[in-house]
Amino acid sequence: IQKLCDRVASSTLLDDRRDAVRALKSLSKASKYRLEVGIQAMEHLIHVLQTDRSDSEIIGYALDTLYNVISNDLEEEEQEENLPKQVDDLGSQFTEIFIKQQENVTLLLTLVEEFDFHVRWPGVKLLTSLLKQQGPQVQQIILVSPMGVSRLMDLLADSREVIRNDGVLLLQQLTKSNAAIQKIVAFENAFERLLDIITEEGNSDGGIVVEDCLLLLQNLLKNNNSNQNFFKEGSYIQRMKPWFEVGDDNCGWSAQKVTNLHLMLQLVRVLVSPTNPPGATSSCQKAMFHCGLLQQLCTILMATGVPADILTETINTVSEVIRGCQMNQDYFASVNAPSNPPRPAIVVLLMSMVNERQPFVLRCAVLYCFQCFLYKNQKGQGEIVSTLLPSTIDATGNSVSAGQLLCGGLFSTDSLSNWCAAVALAHALQENATLKEQLLRVQLATSIGNPPVSLLQQCTNILSQGSKVQTRVGLLMLLCTWLSNCSIAVTHFLHNPANIPFLTGQIAENLGEEEQLVQGLCALLLGISIYYNDNSLENYRKEKLKQLIEKRIGRENFVEKLGFISKHELYSRAAQKPQPSFSSPDHMMFDHEFTKLVKELEGVISKAIYKSSEEDKKEEEVKKTLEQHDNIVTHYKKVIREQDQELEELKQRVNTLTSQNEQLQATVTQQVSQIQQHKDQYNLLKVQLGKDAQHHNSHSDTFQMNGIQVEEVSKLKEELEEWKNKHELLQGQLREKDSVIEKLKSSQLELGTTEQSSQTSRSGGLEHNNELQKELEMLRTQVQLQSAEISKLQLENQKLQVTNTSADSVLGDSGATAANSSESEGRLQQEIKELKSEVKALSEEKESLKQHLDSSSSTVAILQDEKSKLQQEVAESKKEQDDLLVLLADQDQKLSALKIKLKDLGVPVEDEDDIESGDQGDEDEDGDEEEQD
């Protein structure tokens, strides 16, 4: 090794150096020479990489030798039992030596850019090995290197599959636990390239390359909100749908396909994990529904022949896709299993949960699915509880409902079924006081001949019979959830005289460690019975129950037993995440949502135990006063909200009316412009008629008239009479219009003197009437012009009669000009016809304009009436609102006086803002706790 190193360092010939490096490569493969080669040759090999860049062969040998020295991938026959630990240390030490000089890693990045296979491939393997040994340090060097990550991304585009596949492995190591590098890789189009590779390789039917791509995608997306958002916005969720297309025959899946599908399902879960920000999770859930991914997962869920571990993971995936998303929960409720008759998927899954022959992990997955279906889903909760109520139970027994399955599991001999059914039923009641009250109506037939007992009574009966710890813990969690925040349920529980003695007896005894958990839960149930007690039962009032605890148990002992719950190891484990994951059935004790309830109630129950009766009374009085005040405030808020809605509606009506008014004004202006156009056309026609009249007068002396012209003249006379009659009618109508306008003016003047405040609102109507007057004036002038035209036509008629008489005297001497007179006569007749048609058209237009004016004047009057009514309504609503605000101010003063009195008495009083925003604060606190979990 020493000689070879000397040859590498001192030989001038490239061939000699190449042979020496080749020999070192062979020696480095053997584990017994690996240490020696590493110590003596590393410096020389790095020098070769720096100086002999032109020869790809020697560079390849040098990179392979360094890989053999640094890597721990030894041949199987050379591995011994005591060797691996030493090997790990050796690879790590050599890596540390190599990366001490950051230039070495930068040099390696440059070599990886080379296209030559003998350089690029060993370079990729060496860099991967460095990242395995000293990941964070190498990541930091690559991150600060210019274009370091971008250069490595080019490996995914390499046409040689070996380099591309090893490039995927390199990026896997590079992106581990480094959010900055993950973001750079994602924005270098990694998602597109990796999804293309998965598609090319055949999706879930692909080989180990698909598995490596999926692991890299998980690295990029897990706990990286930026990349998750980029993945969703880039529409990559839609490309995941073909991964889950399965056929009818699902037997004989290869181990690789199972692994691939498992990773694909985990990738879906990464995007909708409950630990992600709620907004990001919700948007991914919606995208999965819209692209059909959820539907595809439900198909796998109901398919036959799917391997058990894939089915379990699919159930978990569907659970998180529907969790807290109403749209997805509604779809899941509608999914039916392909059986005869079809059964809802929820019922089929619950059958598996309460079946003790099913695998434990599958039963846990079904419970999680049921919990996610009911999470923030009051509609789903109502549907489940309704299947237990007497009115909805199927008397024929043809179909099994979800409620019947839960009751069956609750009272079966299998303790795991008892626990799962109790937790599932508790989730159906979570944060839903209405359903807690409805569930009190459920009656169970225990045995033939005996009267039915309530579900609450049956739970306490089983509890007192001393069943397994797991069963009792499940039932106590159900009872605590049921009774919390529901005084009616507490009253029903206390109504059974055996319940309180049983609880005090359990808490007072000194039992072993296993029973301590049951004692803690009994203390919690007793505490809830005190805290939510409305004192409706004389024997079980708050004060009497506290005295009972003081005598039988002792307050300190009670609080200590209550603390057993939160100190338990299984409680801490369940509080971490919503999914129930237990190493064995024996560890299945606590539910995630129940841990939140314990955290919420433990402190308040401890305080309630130590409070005196006087403090309780004062607190009750304060609560009642605050409730009354809240009711009054709520009532007034409701009234104000209704008035606001009415005001909005009135405003909208005013807006619509003003828009209609504007439209009408626009039509009026349009009509005015049309009238102007008609006037211009009329003036043009008048000029043309004047010219034609002059032309006919100059030639009338030379024309000789015949019998046809006499007939035309008589017709014209008749038409002139008709026009005179029409003219008189129009003048009469104009006079009527004038009288209407005068009346409008006088009425508006009277209104103006009585209501000065509404002058501005009515000025628009006056302006509109002025415009109408102007239009009428224009029409008058138009009629006057037409009458002038009629007088002109009369003059023409007289002239024609004179020419007619003169023509009779010289009729015999007309032989020479007969032809010319016939032509002129034809032209004259044609022009007379044209004039008649134009006059007729003008009269029709005049009629239509008159109709438009009539309609617009009527709409103005209607609009004015409606506007005055609206103003009156707005004034009345404002007055009512002012009265309400005065009442609210009085109430606030009374409340502040009460608060001062309470503070003087030493009672802690919450601020008004805290009371009003209490609900919202609770929801925020729940959300924060869930996010931390």
Side-chain angles (χ1 to χ4, degrees):
I1 290 168
Q2 182 64 48
K3 285 179 182 177
L4 290 170
C5 289
D6 291 341
R7 281 174 64 190
V8 171
S10 59
S11 291
T12 54
L13 290 174
L14 181 61
D15 289 344
D16 289 345
R17 292 202 302 279
R18 189 190 300 126
D19 292 341
V21 174
R22 189 192 293 118
L24 285 170
K25 175 190 166 185
S26 301
L27 287 169
S28 65
K29 288 180 180 177
S31 59
K32 58 182 177 180
Y33 300 126
R34 177 185 171 196
L35 177 63
E36 207 59 41
V37 172
I39 292 168
Q40 295 188 39
M42 184 173 283
E43 190 178 342
H44 300 299
L45 293 168
I46 292 168
H47 185 70
V48 166
L49 296 178
Q50 292 168 341
T51 55
D52 291 327
R53 293 277 298 278
S54 57
D55 185 65
S56 61
E57 201 172 347
I58 192 171
I59 295 289
Y61 292 146
L63 289 168
D64 280 332
T65 310
L66 286 168
Y67 171 73
N68 292 337
V69 169
I70 288 169
S71 171
N72 294 325
D73 301 336
L74 300 175
E75 294 179 11
E76 290 179 9
E77 62 266 16
E78 293 182 1
Q79 288 186 355
E80 298 173 9
E81 289 181 5
N82 61 343
L83 198 59
K85 192 174 179 183
Q86 297 173 2
V87 164
D88 287 349
D89 293 342
L90 201 59
S92 182
Q93 287 167 7
F94 280 131
T95 302
E96 205 168 331
I97 294 165
F98 184 84
I99 66 172
K100 194 174 282 183
Q101 298 294 325
Q102 291 192 9
E103 296 82 6
N104 295 341
V105 179
T106 311
L107 175 66
L108 194 53
L109 287 171
T110 312
L111 291 170
V112 167
E113 276 192 292
E114 296 285 338
F115 186 73
D116 193 310
F117 181 81
H118 297 291
V119 176
R120 198 173 209 185
W121 188 39
V124 169
K125 290 197 293 179
L126 176 57
L127 194 53
T128 307
S129 186
L130 291 172
L131 283 161
K132 279 181 184 175
Q133 302 295 340
Q134 297 284 343
Q137 293 91 323
V138 180
Q139 283 174 340
Q140 200 56 38
I141 296 167
I142 293 171
L143 197 56
V144 298
S145 174
M147 299 293 289
V149 178
S150 301
R151 284 188 274 187
L152 296 178
M153 282 300 299
D154 293 337
L155 296 170
L156 294 181
D158 200 304
S159 57
R160 295 160 294 191
E161 285 193 9
V162 177
I163 292 177
R164 184 198 70 184
N165 298 344
D166 279 351
V168 173
L169 296 173
L170 168 59
L171 288 169
Q172 267 184 38
Q173 298 298 326
L174 181 66
T175 53
K176 270 186 182 175
S177 309
N178 192 310
I181 291 177
Q182 288 166 3
K183 286 179 185 177
I184 295 168
V185 170
F187 282 98
E188 288 284 346
N189 209 20
F191 295 137
E192 186 77 37
R193 294 182 188 181
L194 290 169
L195 291 170
D196 286 342
I197 293 169
I198 291 169
T199 307
E200 287 168 16
E201 295 290 327
N203 294 328
S204 59
D205 293 318
I208 198 167
V209 179
V210 172
E211 181 184 340
D212 293 335
C213 289
L214 291 166
L215 288 168
L216 176 52
L217 282 169
Q218 274 194 25
N219 281 359
L220 294 174
L221 291 170
K222 199 167 189 178
N223 301 324
N224 192 318
N225 299 329
S226 171
N227 281 4
Q228 287 173 9
N229 189 47
F230 182 62
F231 192 83
K232 180 185 74 69
E233 295 295 334
S235 301
Y236 296 118
I237 289 175
Q238 287 84 327
R239 294 188 61 179
M240 297 167 80
K241 186 192 171 187
W243 296 355
F244 304 104
E245 289 174 357
V246 294
D248 296 330
D249 184 19
N250 297 308
C251 301
W253 283 11
S254 66
Q256 187 61 55
K257 178 166 183 173
V258 171
T259 305
N260 289 348
L261 258 175
H262 207 273
L263 288 169
M264 287 167 174
L265 290 165
Q266 283 180 350
L267 196 62
V268 175
R269 290 184 68 186
V270 163
L271 293 169
V272 292
S273 171
T275 57
N276 293 346
T281 301
S282 176
S283 57
C284 287
Q285 286 172 331
K286 287 173 185 173
M288 287 174 185
F289 175 77
H290 290 305
C291 76
L293 180 58
L294 174 60
Q295 293 84 328
Q296 204 68 51
L297 291 170
C298 289
T299 306
I300 296 175
L301 204 63
M302 295 293 113
T304 52
V306 177
D309 53 345
I310 292 295
L311 183 61
T312 305
E313 191 61 24
T314 305
I315 294 169
N316 285 328
T317 308
V318 169
S319 307
E320 291 182 355
V321 173
I322 66 172
R323 187 176 190 268
C325 180
Q326 188 68 53
M327 179 171 60
N328 293 5
Q329 288 166 337
D330 290 344
Y331 170 75
F332 185 68
S334 68
V335 175
N336 284 323
S339 58
N340 194 15
R343 282 178 174 164
I346 295 168
V347 172
V348 175
L349 291 171
L350 286 175
M351 289 169 79
S352 302
M353 187 183 78
V354 297
N355 184 351
E356 54 188 302
R357 290 193 295 275
Q358 292 291 345
F360 173 64
V361 287
L362 180 66
R363 296 173 77 180
C364 287
V366 172
L367 175 62
Y368 184 44
C369 187
F370 192 71
Q371 290 174 350
C372 291
F373 169 67
L374 296 177
Y375 183 70
K376 291 185 179 178
N377 181 11
Q378 292 199 348
K379 182 183 172 186
Q381 288 176 323
E383 287 169 358
I384 296 297
V385 171
S386 69
T387 59
L388 284 163
L389 299 176
S391 58
T392 55
I393 291 172
D394 186 4
T396 58
N398 291 334
S399 61
V400 182
S401 68
Q404 288 169 318
L405 286 168
L406 289 176
C407 278
L410 201 59
F411 307 123
S412 75
T413 54
D414 176 31
S415 62
L416 194 61
S417 294
N418 302 154
W419 191 92
C420 289
V423 169
L425 202 53
H427 274 261
L429 303 174
Q430 203 81 38
E431 297 177 2
N432 199 323
T434 310
L435 295 181
K436 288 176 183 178
E437 292 176 18
Q438 286 188 4
L439 203 64
L440 296 169
R441 293 165 46 203
V442 176
Q443 299 288 318
L444 302 172
T446 50
S447 57
I448 299 169
N450 291 332
V453 296
S454 69
L455 177 61
L456 185 68
Q457 182 63 48
Q458 185 64 13
C459 289
T460 53
N461 290 346
I462 293 170
L463 202 58
S464 59
Q465 287 168 8
S467 48
K468 289 183 182 178
V469 173
Q470 194 174 41
T471 302
R472 282 183 287 159
V473 167
L475 288 169
L476 283 165
M477 285 197 296
L478 171 61
L479 289 170
C480 288
T481 308
W482 194 346
L483 268 59
S484 65
N485 211 13
C486 185
S487 300
I488 298 170
V490 171
T491 306
H492 275 72
F493 179 74
L494 295 174
H495 198 71
N496 184 352
N499 287 341
I500 294 299
F502 167 73
L503 291 177
T504 51
Q506 286 285 311
I507 300 163
E509 286 182 26
N510 290 320
L511 303 169
E513 285 186 12
E514 287 185 0
E515 292 293 328
Q516 281 185 351
L517 190 55
V518 177
Q519 283 186 315
L521 289 167
C522 286
L524 180 66
L525 185 57
L526 185 55
I528 289 169
S529 302
I530 294 169
Y531 187 71
Y532 292 106
N533 192 343
D534 59 359
N535 293 329
S536 57
L537 293 173
E538 186 60 36
N539 294 335
Y540 295 105
R541 294 173 67 84
K542 281 186 180 182
E543 192 56 39
K544 290 190 177 181
L545 290 173
K546 286 181 191 176
Q547 289 170 2
L548 189 68
I549 288 172
E550 182 65 39
K551 287 178 185 176
R552 296 272 181 91
I553 305 163
R555 289 179 182 175
E556 290 79 7
N557 193 21
F558 177 85
V559 173
E560 185 188 349
K561 296 284 173 76
L562 185 63
F564 284 163
I565 303 171
S566 54
K567 289 173 186 172
H568 203 282
E569 181 191 353
L570 296 174
Y571 172 90
S572 306
R573 214 176 286 172
Q576 289 171 4
K577 58 179 182 177
Q579 185 183 357
S581 54
F582 307 100
S583 53
S584 70
D586 298 334
H587 291 159
M588 207 171 193
M589 289 291 175
F590 283 110
D591 170 55
H592 176 75
E593 289 297 323
F594 181 72
T595 61
K596 291 183 185 178
L597 184 70
V598 172
K599 195 182 288 185
E600 181 189 335
L601 293 177
E602 189 177 5
V604 293
I605 287 171
S606 300
K607 286 179 186 176
I609 295 298
Y610 284 101
K611 278 184 182 174
S612 64
S613 58
E614 291 178 1
E615 287 175 338
D616 278 340
K617 284 177 184 175
K618 287 176 184 175
E619 194 175 330
E620 285 295 323
E621 287 174 7
V622 171
K623 276 184 181 177
K624 284 178 182 175
T625 311
L626 290 173
E627 280 175 10
Q628 286 174 1
H629 175 264
D630 287 343
N631 291 336
I632 293 164
V633 171
T634 308
H635 171 67
Y636 284 128
K637 279 181 179 175
K638 187 180 177 183
V639 171
I640 290 167
R641 202 176 294 117
E642 287 172 359
Q643 288 186 345
D644 284 340
Q645 287 176 356
E646 287 176 10
L647 277 171
E648 284 298 321
E649 288 172 4
L650 289 169
K651 282 178 184 175
Q652 286 176 2
R653 282 179 64 189
V654 168
N655 290 333
T656 51
L657 288 169
T658 49
S659 64
Q660 285 175 6
N661 192 10
E662 286 170 3
Q663 287 175 3
L664 287 169
Q665 286 177 354
T667 51
V668 167
T669 51
Q670 191 178 355
Q671 286 171 2
V672 168
S673 65
Q674 286 177 357
I675 288 166
Q676 188 60 41
Q677 287 176 5
H678 292 313
K679 279 166 70 179
D680 295 341
Q681 289 174 4
Y682 180 73
N683 290 331
L684 284 170
L685 284 169
K686 193 168 69 173
V687 171
Q688 287 177 1
L689 282 168
K691 287 179 181 176
D692 292 340
Q694 287 174 6
H695 177 74
H696 291 311
N697 288 334
S698 62
H699 290 84
S700 62
D701 294 336
T702 58
F703 292 160
Q704 290 188 351
M705 312 302 288
N706 56 20
I708 296 167
Q709 284 179 326
V710 175
E711 290 174 5
E712 288 293 329
V713 169
S714 62
K715 283 180 184 177
L716 280 169
K717 279 181 182 179
E718 291 171 3
E719 285 178 5
L720 282 169
E721 287 299 324
E722 286 176 10
W723 277 108
K724 281 179 185 178
N725 295 333
K726 285 179 184 178
H727 177 64
E728 287 170 1
L729 280 169
L730 283 170
Q731 281 184 337
Q733 288 172 358
L734 281 170
R735 281 194 292 274
E736 287 174 8
K737 275 285 173 188
D738 286 337
S739 64
V740 170
I741 287 163
E742 286 300 322
K743 284 178 185 177
L744 277 170
K745 276 184 180 179
S746 61
S747 62
Q748 282 167 353
L749 287 169
E750 287 170 10
L751 287 168
T753 55
T754 53
E755 294 183 19
Q756 290 181 357
S757 59
S758 61
Q759 280 177 359
T760 53
S761 65
R762 294 175 185 178
S763 60
L766 286 169
E767 288 171 7
H768 193 65
N769 287 332
N770 290 333
E771 287 177 10
L772 289 172
Q773 272 186 305
K774 287 175 185 175
E775 288 174 20
L776 287 169
E777 288 296 331
M778 289 174 187
L779 285 170
R780 273 205 208 97
T781 53
Q782 192 173 348
V783 170
Q784 286 170 2
L785 289 168
Q786 284 183 348
S787 62
E789 187 63 32
I790 288 163
S791 61
K792 282 182 183 178
L793 288 168
Q794 285 174 342
L795 288 169
E796 285 178 13
N797 187 18
Q798 289 171 2
K799 286 178 183 178
L800 284 168
Q801 285 175 349
V802 171
T803 52
N804 192 15
T805 53
S806 61
D808 288 337
S809 61
V810 290
L811 191 61
D813 302 324
S814 61
T817 56
N820 293 332
S821 107
S822 62
E823 288 174 7
S824 302
E825 181 189 349
R827 273 207 307 276
L828 183 61
Q829 286 174 358
Q830 186 65 30
E831 285 171 354
I832 286 165
K833 284 178 184 177
E834 287 174 358
L835 282 170
K836 279 161 63 179
S837 62
E838 284 170 355
V839 168
K840 189 176 180 182
L842 281 169
S843 65
E844 287 172 356
E845 285 175 356
K846 194 169 183 180
E847 286 295 323
S848 65
L849 285 170
K850 195 173 77 170
Q851 289 171 2
H852 278 303
L853 285 169
D854 291 338
S855 61
S856 59
S857 61
S858 63
T859 50
V860 166
I862 293 163
L863 285 169
Q864 284 177 351
D865 292 339
E866 287 181 350
K867 196 163 188 179
S868 61
K869 285 177 186 176
L870 287 171
Q871 284 175 343
Q872 286 175 4
E873 288 173 359
V874 168
E876 287 171 3
S877 61
K878 279 183 180 176
K879 189 179 177 185
E880 286 175 5
Q881 195 166 359
D882 291 337
D883 294 341
L884 290 172
L885 288 170
V886 170
L887 285 171
L888 274 174
D890 293 341
Q891 286 296 329
D892 286 333
Q893 286 176 1
K894 288 178 186 177
L895 178 64
S896 58
L898 281 170
K899 281 184 180 175
I900 291 162
K901 285 181 185 178
L902 289 171
K903 283 178 182 174
D904 293 338
L905 292 167
V907 178
V909 179
E910 292 179 346
D911 291 337
E912 189 176 1
D913 293 335
D914 297 338
I915 295 165
E916 285 180 0
S917 61
D919 294 337
Q920 188 178 352
D922 291 343
E923 287 173 8
D924 294 343
E925 198 170 42
D926 290 347
D928 293 339
E929 286 168 10
E930 185 178 339
E931 206 165 290
Q932 288 168 7
D933 294 337

